[in-house]
C-alpha cells in the first residue's frame, strides 16, 4: 500500500480532529495521500493541511480510496472511483455507517489492518440507468434506482418489461430497483427482502402499490429492465442513490447492471452476518 485518495463530506464537524489524526498517521506510515479538492478546502478551514488535491471527475491512480463519513459519502465515492476498479474503504464518521468497514477513532484498528494487508475485497453489483428523453449526468448506482412521484399526489403507472418481455404495470407511489447492497436501504423500508450483498440478483420493490398482489420481486442481475412511466403530472423523479433527476411523463428508463462493480474493502471477521447483528440489531433482544 503506497498511495491513497480520500473523499469526505462537510457534515461531521465534530470529527475533524480524527481526520487530521488519520492524515498524520498515514504520513508516519509513509503513505502518499491526495484529497478530493472540495473536501480539502473544507479541511483547510479547520486547520493546516499540506496535501495534494484532485477533482472528483479526474481521480488519480491509487491503491485504494478512503471514504470518510457515512453511507452517503461512501455511495458518492463509489460513483467516482468504481469505473477505475479502485477498492473503497469506508471509515464511519456518521451515525449508522452500514456500508463502512469500521469507525474512525482511537480504538479502531481498521486502518492499520488494511495497511498491513489484513483485508479482503467484495465485488458489489452496480446499476446503470438511461432515459430515452433526458440525459442523466450520473447514471450509476450502488444502492438503487427509485422512480418517484414529483410534487403531486397523482399515482404513477409504470409499464415494466423484464429482459424484453412484458412483466406488469406497477401502479402506486413508485418503484425501486435495488442491488443486493441496497437491499438494506430504501428497499428494506418499503418491505423488500434483505439480500446478501454479493448475491447476483436485483430486487424490484413497488412503493405503496395500488394492488395487494404487487409484491417485491427478485430477478437475475443480468436482467435488462425497462420502465415507461405515466401520470397526470408532467414529470416524475428518478433518484439514483439519492441524486434526483426529473424525467417527463411518458419517458422510458432502461436499467441494467453496470459494466463494472464496486470493490468494497472488508476487514477480516467483518462479514454479512456480523453486520446484520451489529448494525441492524438482527435477532437481538432490544428490551
Amino acid at each position: 500500500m503506497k498511495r491513497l485518495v480520500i473523499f469526505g463530506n462537510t457534515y461531521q464537524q465534530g470529527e475533524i480532529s480524527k481526520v487530521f489524526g488519520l492524515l498524520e498517521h498515514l504520513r508516519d506510515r509513509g503513505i502518499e495521500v491526495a484529497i478530493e479538492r472540495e473536501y480539502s478546502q473544507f479541511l483547510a478551514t479547520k486547520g493546516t493541511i499540506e496535501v495534494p488535491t484532485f477533482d472528483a471527475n479526474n481521480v488519480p491512480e491509487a491503491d485504494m480510496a478512503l471514504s470518510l463519513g457515512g453511507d452517503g459519502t461512501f455511495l458518492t465515492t463509489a460513483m467516482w472511483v468504481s469505473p477505475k476498479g479502485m477498492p473503497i474503504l469506508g471509515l464511519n464518521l456518521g451515525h449508522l455507517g452500514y456500508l463502512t468497514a469500521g469507525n474512525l477513532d482511537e480504538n479502531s484498528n481498521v486502518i492499520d489492518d488494511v495497511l498491513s494487508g489484513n483485508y479482503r475485497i467484495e465485488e458489489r453489483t452496480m446499476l446503470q440507468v438511461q432515459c430515452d428523453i433526458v440525459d442523466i449526468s450520473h447514471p450509476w448506482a450502488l444502492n438503487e434506482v427509485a422512480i418517484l412521484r414529483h410534487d403531486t399526489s397523482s399515482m404513477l403507472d409504470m409499464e415494466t418489461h423484464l429482459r424484453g418481455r412484458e412483466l406488469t404495470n406497477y401502479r402506486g407511489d413508485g418503484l425501486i430497483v435495488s442491488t443486493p447492497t441496497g437491499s438494506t436501504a430504501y428497499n428494506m423500508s418499503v418491505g423488500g427482502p434483505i439480500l446478501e450483498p454479493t448475491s447476483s440478483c436485483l430486487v424490484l420493490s413497488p412503493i405503496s402499490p395500488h394492488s395487494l398482489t404487487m409484491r417485491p420481486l427478485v430477478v437475475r442481475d443480468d436482467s435488462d429492465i425497462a420502465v415507461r412511466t405515466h401520470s397526470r403530472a408532467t414529470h416524475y423523479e428518478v433518484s439514483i442513490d439519492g441524486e434526483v433527476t426529473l424525467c417527463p411523463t411518458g419517458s422510458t428508463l432502461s436499467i441494467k447492471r453496470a459494466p463494472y462493480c464496486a470493490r468494497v474493502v472488508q476487514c477480516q471477521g467483518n462479514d454479512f452476518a456480523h453486520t446484520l447483528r451489529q448494525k441492524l440489531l438482527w435477532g437481538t433482544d432490544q428490551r
Side-chain angles (χ1 to χ4, degrees):
M1 188 75 63
K2 296 181 179 180
R3 183 174 174 83
L4 300 173
V5 292
I6 296 179
F7 292 80
N9 64 55
T10 61
Y11 305 121
Q12 284 83 31
Q13 301 273 353
E15 307 293 337
I16 295 302
S17 61
K18 297 179 182 179
V19 176
F20 281 101
L22 172 65
L23 294 176
E24 183 177 355
H25 183 65
L26 293 174
R27 182 188 61 196
D28 292 343
R29 293 289 300 267
I31 306 298
E32 296 181 19
V33 171
I35 302 178
E36 188 273 324
R37 180 165 285 112
E38 184 176 341
Y39 187 51
S40 177
Q41 291 171 349
F42 166 71
L43 292 177
T45 66
K46 306 298 180 180
T48 302
I49 181 170
E50 298 180 358
V51 177
T53 64
F54 62 91
D55 291 323
N57 57 5
N58 189 23
V59 181
E61 295 298 325
D63 299 305
M64 187 176 291
L66 293 187
S67 170
L68 305 183
D71 290 342
T73 307
F74 192 96
L75 294 173
T76 301
T77 304
M79 180 184 68
W80 290 118
V81 309
S82 292
K84 293 178 170 288
M86 191 181 299
I88 309 164
L89 171 63
L91 295 177
N92 184 32
L93 291 174
H95 299 291
L96 179 61
Y98 188 84
L99 295 174
T100 58
N103 296 319
L104 180 58
D105 56 43
E106 294 80 4
N107 298 320
S108 174
N109 297 319
V110 173
I111 191 67
D112 285 327
D113 284 346
V114 170
L115 293 179
S116 300
N118 187 26
Y119 67 92
R120 70 182 190 283
I121 295 175
E122 293 182 351
E123 293 193 343
R124 307 283 188 87
T125 296
M126 295 187 69
L127 295 173
Q128 180 176 356
V129 58
Q130 292 178 312
C131 179
D132 62 345
I133 296 179
V134 175
D135 180 51
I136 298 176
S137 58
H138 297 295
W140 304 281
L142 175 57
N143 267 359
E144 77 276 314
V145 175
I147 300 170
L148 306 166
R149 295 180 303 164
H150 175 65
D151 291 341
T152 178
S153 60
S154 297
M155 182 174 60
L156 299 181
D157 188 336
M158 296 157 284
E159 300 177 11
T160 304
H161 286 71
L162 178 68
R163 297 190 291 272
R165 301 291 296 273
E166 181 181 3
L167 177 63
T168 190
N169 278 13
Y170 289 102
R171 295 183 177 90
D173 288 354
L175 177 68
I176 300 168
V177 180
S178 170
T179 67
T181 299
S183 69
T184 49
Y186 200 174
N187 167 76
M188 186 176 69
S189 72
V190 301
I194 295 176
L195 303 175
E196 191 160 5
T198 53
S199 302
S200 299
C201 54
L202 305 174
V203 184
L204 283 72
S205 294
I207 304 171
S208 300
H210 187 63
S211 171
L212 292 177
T213 64
M214 293 298 174
R215 299 296 184 183
L217 175 67
V218 179
V219 300
R220 304 194 316 254
D221 72 351
D222 63 351
S223 301
D224 290 345
I225 300 164
V227 184
R228 184 175 180 86
T229 300
H230 302 278
S231 174
R232 294 177 183 175
T234 58
H235 289 79
Y236 63 96
E237 295 182 1
V238 179
S239 174
I240 305 171
D241 278 354
E243 295 289 331
V244 176
T245 299
L246 289 183
C247 291
T249 299
S251 60
T252 299
L253 295 179
S254 298
I255 304 169
K256 62 182 180 180
R257 184 177 60 192
Y260 48 81
C261 295
R263 306 183 69 220
V264 179
V265 175
Q266 296 283 8
C267 293
Q268 300 298 338
N270 186 15
D271 57 16
F272 176 58
H274 177 268
T275 301
L276 285 179
R277 293 195 309 274
Q278 296 297 313
K279 296 187 177 181
L280 291 186
L281 302 180
W282 190 260
T284 61
D285 188 348
Q286 300 181 46
R287 292 177 295 177

